[in-house]
Amino acid sequence: MVVLLEGMCPGLDKDLLRSLRAADIRTVEDLVSSDIEDVAQKCSVSYKALLSIRRVLLAQHTAFPVSGADLYEELLSSTAILSTGNPSLDKLLDSGLYTGEITELSGGPGSGKSQVCFGVSVHIAHRLKQSVIYIDTTGGLTASRLLQMLQTETNNTDEQMEALQRIHAFRLFDVCALLDCLYGLCSGGLHKARVGGGSVKAVIVDSVSTVIAPLLGGRQNEGMSLMTKVAAALKTMAKDFSVAVLVTNHVTRSGSGEVQPGLGVSWSHIPRTRILLERVETGACVSRPGRRRATLVKSSRQACGVKEDFDLQRWGGADGGGPSGKRKLDQADP
């Protein structure tokens, strides 16, 4: 799904773009699959002009065969790996979060999903000097908590403030507002979020299930459609803008009683990597409330079922990561 942008092709100006959005046409797919005559009447534009724009967009976005070698070269040049700031999570993720991909953290209440998201955003903003988009749908994000985590990283007040400025927070509490936000970011919002020379390298949605799960099941047929639109927008953002997307999800139980990520089978194909977070409450760890266990439940790079224990209260200390065919994003990257 490619979002329509001003100047994408001749004739697609700001006024026409506004009219198309008013007619609920936001992507190239929406335009080429719609009735051009009907759209021309709704937008009060020339049928021939709209047809010409449609032909150009079809020519620009028609799929062409690409060799495997070319795909690999593109992967090497466009993919970066962002350390989460936690060595255990980086190990499960094969060095960190990959740009161009969606990574999911799932877990029950109190499992530490939001805390991990806070730690990741602070690490990327402070250590990697890159901007982060943080979309909060639970109301759990607070500047005081981010500042508290930053104070464990540096005593320099200026560095703390610079890092906070690189974290751009959105508070949204329904799926329509989430979609509008994602479309807006794809239409230019990501470029506007550059601060201190650092481009946006990560988009965090905590939590995607909070706004989608209430719409699924029963007779609410539009819930699946809205979930598909959110998934498509996140995939577009990750791929077209080379950002790492991190989302959180709730958990459910399977028929056999096993804990599994929520949102059903359809959503399970969206994240490239899925990690399940759980409290560790056995043995000596009972007295350590920050102890968590991360289990890799889906990955295209590593064997699933691998578990790593870590302490939420001791974030940081990640090394540079192991060898990789792709570049590891560090403090020297612009």
Side-chain angles (χ1 to χ4, degrees):
M1 182 190 69
V2 180
V3 177
L4 290 171
L5 300 174
E6 181 183 353
M8 180 178 282
C9 67
L12 190 57
D13 55 23
K14 186 176 182 179
D15 293 335
L16 178 55
L17 199 58
R18 187 184 300 110
S19 299
L20 289 173
R21 287 176 178 170
D24 201 26
I25 296 177
R26 299 174 178 271
T27 68
V28 172
E29 181 183 359
D30 292 338
L31 182 58
V32 299
S33 62
S34 61
D35 185 328
I36 296 299
E37 186 174 355
D38 183 51
V39 174
Q41 292 178 352
K42 288 182 179 179
C43 299
S44 301
V45 297
S46 166
Y47 170 78
K48 289 185 177 180
L50 205 55
L51 186 62
S52 176
I53 291 173
R54 181 177 181 272
R55 288 173 178 168
V56 172
L57 291 175
L58 279 173
Q60 289 177 342
H61 298 281
T62 298
F64 294 97
V66 180
S67 70
D70 290 339
L71 284 175
Y72 183 66
E73 288 298 325
E74 180 185 355
L75 181 67
L76 291 179
S77 63
S78 63
T79 303
I81 308 173
L82 310 177
S83 169
T84 63
N86 186 288
S88 298
L89 286 181
D90 283 350
K91 185 177 179 180
L92 284 184
L93 295 170
D94 191 21
S95 297
L97 300 172
Y98 282 62
T99 59
E101 297 183 6
I102 299 174
T103 302
E104 179 191 87
L105 296 174
S106 60
S111 60
K113 302 185 297 294
S114 294
Q115 186 77 359
V116 170
C117 290
F118 297 163
V120 170
S121 60
V122 165
H123 182 77
I124 293 174
H126 174 59
R127 294 291 182 182
L128 305 185
K129 302 291 190 289
Q130 305 297 318
S131 296
V132 178
I133 299 293
Y134 198 114
I135 301 176
D136 175 25
T137 67
T138 66
L141 178 65
T142 62
S144 60
R145 181 60 184 131
L146 295 178
L147 179 59
Q148 184 182 27
M149 298 184 77
L150 279 166
Q151 288 170 342
T152 65
E153 297 283 335
T154 177
N155 293 324
N156 188 308
T157 304
D158 291 338
E159 290 183 0
Q160 294 170 6
M161 292 303 103
E162 287 175 3
L164 285 176
Q165 287 179 350
R166 295 190 186 101
I167 301 174
H168 304 265
F170 295 83
R171 286 195 170 185
L172 313 169
F173 301 107
D174 65 79
V175 69
C176 293
L178 175 60
L179 279 171
D180 285 341
C181 178
L182 295 177
Y183 289 144
L185 291 172
C186 289
S187 299
L190 287 176
H191 297 297
K192 295 177 182 178
R194 295 174 63 96
V195 174
S199 59
V200 175
K201 282 298 179 182
V203 175
I204 298 173
V205 183
D206 178 30
S207 124
V208 71
S209 60
T210 298
V211 295
I212 293 178
L215 304 177
L216 299 178
R219 298 181 179 180
Q220 303 182 75
N221 297 326
E222 67 173 351
M224 186 66 68
S225 174
L226 290 170
M227 183 178 75
T228 302
K229 289 183 177 180
V230 170
L234 290 172
K235 280 191 169 183
T236 298
M237 184 181 300
K239 184 66 175 176
D240 291 357
F241 296 93
S242 294
V243 299
V245 175
L246 177 64
V247 302
T248 64
N249 190 2
H250 70 287
V251 292
T252 59
R253 290 192 178 272
S254 64
S256 60
E258 294 182 357
V259 176
Q260 62 183 17
L263 296 183
V265 176
S266 297
W267 176 265
S268 69
H269 302 292
I270 304 305
R272 182 75 173 269
T273 304
R274 308 183 90 180
I275 289 179
L276 176 65
L277 294 179
E278 300 172 290
R279 285 176 173 268
V280 179
E281 298 181 349
T282 58
C285 293
V286 175
S287 60
R288 299 173 65 181
R291 200 69 179 170
R292 297 293 186 272
R293 176 165 296 149
T295 304
L296 188 64
V297 296
K298 178 184 177 182
S299 174
S300 60
R301 284 182 286 270
Q302 303 203 90
C304 296
V306 179
K307 301 177 185 292
E308 287 285 336
D309 288 2
F310 64 96
D311 195 334
L312 284 175
Q313 298 174 350
R314 297 183 180 179
W315 202 265
D319 56 22
S324 172
K326 291 165 281 296
R327 61 193 180 98
K328 181 82 171 181
L329 192 68
D330 55 29
Q331 295 175 359
D333 284 306

